[in-house]
Amino acid sequence: MKKSRAAAQIVIHVILIFLAVICLTPFLSMISSSFMDIRGVLPDVPVIFPKFPLFVENYAKVWTANNFSRYFLNTLVISVGGLVVNVMISVSMAYSFARFKFPGREAIFNVFLLTMMVPAQLALISQYTVLNGLKLIDNYAGVLLLWGGTCVAGNTFFYRGFFESVPKELEESMFLDGASRFQVLTHCIIPLCKPAIGTSAIFAFNGYWGDLFNILTFIKTEEKRTLSVALQLFRGQHTTEYGLMFAASVIVIIPVIVIFIIFQKQFMRQGLMEGAVKG
Amino acid sequence: MTMYDGAQACVKNQATEPCAPSSGKGGRLPVKKDSLAVRFRKGLRQWLAVLPFLSVGLVLFVVFVLYPQLKNIYIAFSEYSIMPGSENPFVGFENFKRAFIGIKEHGSDAYYFWIAFRNNLLAVLVTVPGQMVLGLLVAVMIHNLKFGKNIYKIIFYIAVICDWVVVANIFDYIFQPDNGSLVNFVLMKLHILKEPLAWLKETWTGNWVIWIFSIWKGFGWVMIIYTAALQGISKDMYEAATIDGASSVEKFFYITLPSVRGTTFYLLINLINGAMNIFIQVFLLTKGDPVGTTDVMMNYIYTRAFSYFEFGYAAACGLMMGIFVFTTAMCLKRFLRYGQDT
């Protein structure tokens, strides 16, 4: 019994390592290429591992010739802002739908579902006229409000299930102790649904970090651009200068990967609601 | 407390029918019919209670999602111009007709519309099962590991968190037509290919690159959502099944799959929606070339709107797509939740 368990573990590891190699090779190829002077024609053998000595000029060029530090700060500010708005709105909305009864609740919920099915980019024209009317074009506040509005439907749908699965006994005992709705939300529901909220927050943050079309459409000034937009324009200018382009790409994704590795330990923490009701 | 109980009963009903004030159907307590005024006052009280939690999100939703989408319907029925002060006359179903007239003729609007639509359907058929199966299997494998769970999660998630522009650059690079591009090189070494392929320049290879790109970037997301769901399944059920002598495969089909059904529904809706909205892949890799045969609806619509300024026609195409996707999702909902009420 024990032996077959160990064998199964090894088989799983082998399969996962095989998949991991497929997933990571393109990235390795990108990083190695960013340290080489490749332009125009590709070398005969694909670049997978870096060749020494490293060619670091690509990075210097990207960093100095383009305003990447500024773009980095912009992206950070708007992504964090978007994340805060997103979590606050989504959690309170989902709580309303999971734990309150009011007329028209399911009707509104179905409207949410309906709007989720409509292609998002299509509303871009009308959204532009709305923001224009509010005088919020070329303003981060406009983008944040827009993101706050567009996250509502999907996240209410996602969180609602998790919130409803919180044992009612916990809340009832809190109500008996005189807690308010708000206290129940912050002291019971949110802590118990932390993994779900954390998971969704990661997606939100990194969706905002890599957002291309919204920033491209609603932000006009060059100093307010974000990394994705800057990289897309950069790509247009340096189509076949692979080394240079990948140096820029690496600069764009390294912060994302670092942030994810730091935060995922908190977000992926286990032990959901099990054991909370016992006793 | 009564209000609270009502909410629970309502939630239980929700799986089978919309939560109307149920008139005692199958309920434990016969529901007393109140007069209109009483019900109105009760509803008002409930709204006042929920308003502090609901208001901000609802207002933003109405302003930035609902209103723009409704306005889009109006645009679909008009000859719309974005210029301020333009007339935007109402033209009825003219915009919709353009997507159906002359399907067989090369070069007509309808011809390219249906190619793009076909590509979307194929993308759903390939990328949705691809991501679901791969994501679930990897999630189950990782869930059963003793060591190294997190490192695998990080590895498979890297593609998801990377910017589209970055990964599109990488895919563009490894699928270059040269001998030395990664994919051509490996396939030629394995003797699967004799000559290097110009992947992104041909219809079907271009489509496959777009699909593989979507699966490669998307399955990590499915995996992460499933691992969160798997953690929520009580271990007691597995222990009981083991005592009853169930095999791992049986446990997977009779415990794991039913337990994550809600998550599966959420993922299916999102992935189908995602595959119908495939855009950035095409926009960054093939731009629909050669001659629109790798095009998809979103790119078609976007080009129509922002390159040709045919907003009315673009909105009409989008509306039809939206209706199609929504109908599909509703059918799925009925199908997946059927008889599940536990």
Side-chain angles (χ1 to χ4, degrees):
Chain A
M1 194 68 190
K2 247 186 188 170
K3 238 183 191 173
S4 71
R5 278 256 171 91
Q9 289 281 315
I10 290 167
V11 169
I12 293 176
H13 274 292
V14 169
I15 297 172
L16 287 176
I17 288 170
F18 176 72
L19 283 172
V21 168
I22 294 179
C23 279
L24 290 182
T25 311
F27 285 104
L28 192 59
S29 177
M30 168 183 77
I31 294 168
S32 308
S33 303
S34 74
F35 288 109
M36 287 175 68
D37 191 15
I38 308 176
R39 14 178 124 193
V41 187
L42 297 186
D44 285 340
V45 176
V47 182
I48 292 179
F49 299 104
K51 293 210 172 67
F52 294 95
L54 298 176
F55 185 79
V56 286
E57 245 169 75
N58 288 331
Y59 284 88
K61 232 187 214 172
V62 168
W63 198 250
T64 50
N66 296 270
N67 212 354
F68 268 68
S69 56
R70 172 81 209 194
Y71 300 144
F72 175 81
L73 198 69
N74 289 345
T75 316
L76 191 65
V77 166
I78 200 163
S79 311
V80 171
L83 178 68
V84 172
V85 170
N86 178 305
V87 170
M88 279 167 61
I89 289 177
S90 316
V91 165
S92 61
M93 285 301 276
Y95 185 54
S96 317
F97 281 87
R99 284 296 189 256
F100 285 84
K101 192 192 176 194
F102 52 92
R105 184 178 71 169
E106 293 312 311
I108 296 175
F109 195 69
N110 282 332
V111 170
F112 285 176
L113 213 63
L114 191 91
T115 61
M116 277 166 68
M117 304 303 144
V118 181
Q121 274 88 356
L122 261 193
L124 225 54
I125 310 160
S126 326
Q127 282 165 347
Y128 188 90
T129 54
V130 169
L131 280 176
N132 204 16
L134 295 169
K135 303 257 176 293
L136 286 173
I137 293 291
D138 202 22
N139 188 331
Y140 284 169
V143 176
L144 290 182
L145 288 177
L146 179 77
W147 282 347
T150 45
C151 78
V152 165
N155 283 354
T156 307
F157 185 58
F158 178 59
Y159 287 155
R160 186 182 178 175
F162 283 99
F163 285 12
E164 277 170 358
S165 69
V166 171
K168 282 121 212 164
E169 292 87 342
L170 288 176
E171 278 172 81
E172 278 165 19
S173 68
M174 281 187 78
F175 283 132
L176 287 180
D177 291 341
S180 69
R181 288 279 196 179
F182 186 74
Q183 283 167 323
V184 168
L185 177 63
T186 53
H187 287 82
C188 171
I189 306 246
I190 290 178
L192 285 177
C193 293
K194 231 192 219 159
I197 295 172
T199 307
S200 152
I202 291 184
F203 305 139
F205 179 82
N206 112 78
Y208 296 151
W209 185 278
D211 183 279
L212 185 64
F213 286 101
N214 283 319
I215 306 286
L216 211 53
T217 317
F218 300 120
I219 298 295
K220 301 291 173 197
T221 328
E222 205 195 318
E223 295 92 75
K224 290 183 186 168
R225 266 183 203 151
T226 58
L227 285 170
S228 266
V229 175
L231 182 66
Q232 168 63 8
L233 298 174
F234 192 78
R235 185 183 186 236
Q237 288 162 8
H238 308 268
T239 322
T240 55
E241 295 179 64
Y242 294 106
L244 207 60
M245 200 174 67
F246 285 134
S249 304
V250 170
I251 292 174
V252 172
I253 58 163
I254 280 206
V256 185
I257 292 175
V258 169
I259 289 168
F260 172 63
I261 290 173
I262 294 170
F263 281 98
Q264 70 91 31
K265 273 187 187 147
Q266 283 159 329
F267 289 144
M268 298 300 146
R269 204 166 272 165
Q270 310 192 358
L272 284 162
M273 291 122 208
E274 263 186 291
V277 196
K278 290 171 194 162
Chain B
M1 227 49 202
T2 48
M3 186 174 95
Y4 191 72
D5 286 338
Q8 295 327 310
C10 195
V11 167
K12 278 189 181 148
N13 274 339
Q14 175 220 334
T16 46
E17 58 188 285
C19 187
S22 59
S23 45
K25 183 191 170 224
R28 281 163 301 169
L29 302 168
V31 177
K32 195 168 53 184
K33 277 251 175 182
D34 293 322
S35 76
L36 207 64
V38 173
R39 260 157 59 197
F40 178 76
R41 246 179 293 152
K42 193 175 159 201
L44 199 67
R45 217 171 38 237
Q46 288 170 339
W47 265 95
L48 284 176
V50 78
L51 220 51
F53 296 96
L54 195 69
S55 50
V56 179
L58 204 56
V59 167
L60 287 179
F61 169 79
V62 169
V63 172
F64 288 107
V65 179
L66 196 58
Y67 169 73
Q69 288 190 354
L70 291 177
K71 192 169 177 193
N72 232 63
I73 297 177
Y74 166 75
I75 293 175
F77 286 98
S78 64
E79 181 100 41
Y80 194 78
S81 165
I82 203 164
M83 290 295 155
S86 53
E87 269 187 36
N88 309 330
F90 182 80
V91 293
F93 284 93
E94 281 308 311
N95 289 323
F96 294 88
K97 278 187 199 157
R98 279 178 64 189
F100 293 95
I101 293 171
I103 293 174
K104 293 268 155 68
E105 299 164 40
H106 277 250
S108 68
D109 288 334
Y111 180 73
Y112 290 120
F113 176 89
W114 288 99
I115 284 186
F117 186 67
R118 176 203 70 188
N119 285 342
N120 270 120
L121 289 188
L122 291 175
V124 171
L125 288 180
V126 176
T127 64
V128 175
Q131 291 177 80
M132 290 292 278
V133 171
L134 203 55
L136 179 59
L137 288 183
V138 171
V140 170
M141 282 196 276
I142 289 178
H143 188 69
N144 285 315
L145 279 182
K146 288 206 182 78
F147 311 101
K149 285 185 185 190
N150 276 344
I151 187 75
Y152 285 118
K153 278 194 217 166
I154 293 173
I155 288 171
F156 293 122
Y157 202 62
I158 282 177
V160 183
I161 59 168
C162 282
D163 290 38
W164 278 103
V165 189
V166 172
V167 283
N169 281 346
I170 300 177
F171 259 67
D172 198 33
Y173 181 60
I174 64 174
F175 280 100
Q176 281 291 309
D178 312 39
N179 281 320
S181 72
L182 185 62
V183 173
N184 276 337
F185 185 83
V186 170
L187 290 182
M188 279 159 73
K189 276 272 167 252
L190 293 173
H191 298 289
I192 295 171
L193 281 184
K194 283 201 184 91
E195 309 233 303
L197 264 182
W199 293 91
L200 295 169
K201 300 283 190 293
E202 316 250 350
T203 305
W204 292 111
T205 52
N207 275 327
W208 272 104
V209 172
I210 290 166
W211 298 334
I212 291 169
F213 185 31
S214 309
I215 295 173
W216 182 81
K217 193 172 189 310
F219 87 91
W221 179 71
V222 176
M223 180 272 296
I224 287 277
I225 299 266
Y226 266 132
T227 41
L230 290 175
Q231 284 169 23
I233 305 176
S234 154
K235 289 194 183 63
D236 303 351
M237 276 199 283
Y238 288 106
E239 278 162 23
T242 312
I243 291 167
D244 291 345
S247 70
S248 329
V249 178
E250 282 171 329
K251 278 187 253 178
F252 176 77
F253 280 105
Y254 292 112
I255 300 177
T256 313
L257 272 188
S259 304
V260 296
R261 194 193 289 238
T263 311
T264 305
F265 177 59
Y266 170 79
L267 287 170
L268 264 183
I269 295 267
N270 265 279
L271 291 182
I272 290 175
N273 201 9
M276 289 307 285
N277 283 313
I278 280 189
F279 179 27
I280 208 161
Q281 296 94 310
V282 177
F283 183 78
L284 293 172
L285 284 179
T286 68
K287 294 213 163 55
D289 289 337
V291 276
T293 49
T294 62
D295 213 349
V296 286
M297 286 307 296
M298 272 318 301
N299 193 49
Y300 179 79
I301 290 166
Y302 189 83
T303 321
R304 288 287 155 171
F306 293 102
S307 303
Y308 298 92
F309 300 105
E310 296 172 343
F311 290 113
Y313 176 55
C317 293
L319 198 60
M320 287 189 280
M321 258 250 302
I323 290 169
F324 175 79
V325 178
F326 182 71
T327 316
T328 315
M330 280 295 131
C331 294
L332 258 182
K333 186 179 179 182
R334 175 121 320 166
F335 174 70
L336 276 175
R337 296 241 170 131
Y338 184 70
Q340 186 224 354
D341 201 13
T342 44

